[in-house]
Amino acid sequence: MYPLGMVFALFSSFALLHAVREKSFMWFGVYGVLAAALAYTHYYGLFTIAAHVLFVAIHLVTSTKWRIGEIVQSRVFWGGVLSGCIALALFSPWFSTFLRQRSQVQESFWIPPVSFSAVADTFYQITAPTLHVSRAYGVFLIPFILII
């Protein structure tokens, strides 16, 4: 699962880079298919796709100097819309399963919700595992360890 996800992340990044450089709708289409395959392979691939969206947005903003009219008329903008539509259309049959799995994980997952005490406790376990100080006092030592 992870090696295949890396392959799709690499190839989708390659296709997106070619699409942006050449302003080619064909490469944007290839990217849309590869992005959908990445999302199917592992849900963490959605973070890679989000980074790709951020890359295209920054490219559009810097290349047009924040002129909205030029952004909307750009082939890169419409290629991005095309690739997004392709990826969404290909991933849409699986979306209900994604939502069901997400709710199942939220209900019974072994990692506790993120809170200040959970972060402090984890930091204490990483930085002071051999000190013979109880956790109740160790959490209060964290600011002093950070200052030193």
Side-chain angles (χ1 to χ4, degrees):
M1 173 169 52
Y2 293 113
L4 185 60
M6 289 300 296
V7 166
F8 283 132
L10 179 68
F11 286 155
S12 65
S13 299
F14 176 79
L16 182 63
L17 190 60
H18 271 283
V20 169
R21 284 184 179 171
E22 298 176 12
K23 297 177 176 68
S24 168
F25 287 124
M26 182 200 69
W27 279 107
F28 276 112
V30 169
Y31 170 74
V33 171
L34 290 171
L38 177 59
Y40 270 116
T41 302
H42 200 289
Y43 294 141
Y44 284 143
L46 296 173
F47 292 113
T48 303
I49 295 168
H52 289 161
V53 170
L54 184 64
F55 166 73
V56 171
I58 290 171
H59 172 76
L60 282 170
V61 166
T62 57
S63 67
T64 60
K65 298 179 179 62
W66 289 89
R67 291 186 286 255
I68 303 297
E70 285 185 33
I71 291 174
V72 174
Q73 292 176 353
S74 172
R75 286 178 63 91
V76 173
F77 175 79
W78 290 109
V81 170
L82 171 71
S83 62
C85 289
I86 290 172
L88 283 174
L90 291 175
F91 190 72
S92 63
W94 189 258
F95 194 69
S96 63
T97 304
F98 167 72
L99 292 177
R100 188 173 59 251
Q101 288 175 346
R102 184 178 139 257
S103 66
Q104 179 184 5
V105 166
Q106 285 179 341
E107 291 171 3
S108 61
F109 198 56
W110 60 273
I111 297 177
V114 177
S115 65
F116 176 76
S117 62
V119 171
D121 189 47
T122 302
F123 184 77
Y124 171 72
Q125 289 176 6
I126 292 171
T127 57
T130 57
L131 295 178
H132 297 289
V133 178
S134 70
R135 285 190 183 169
Y137 296 112
V139 171
F140 293 111
L141 291 176
I142 291 173
F144 298 113
I145 292 172
L146 290 175
I147 292 172
I148 296 172

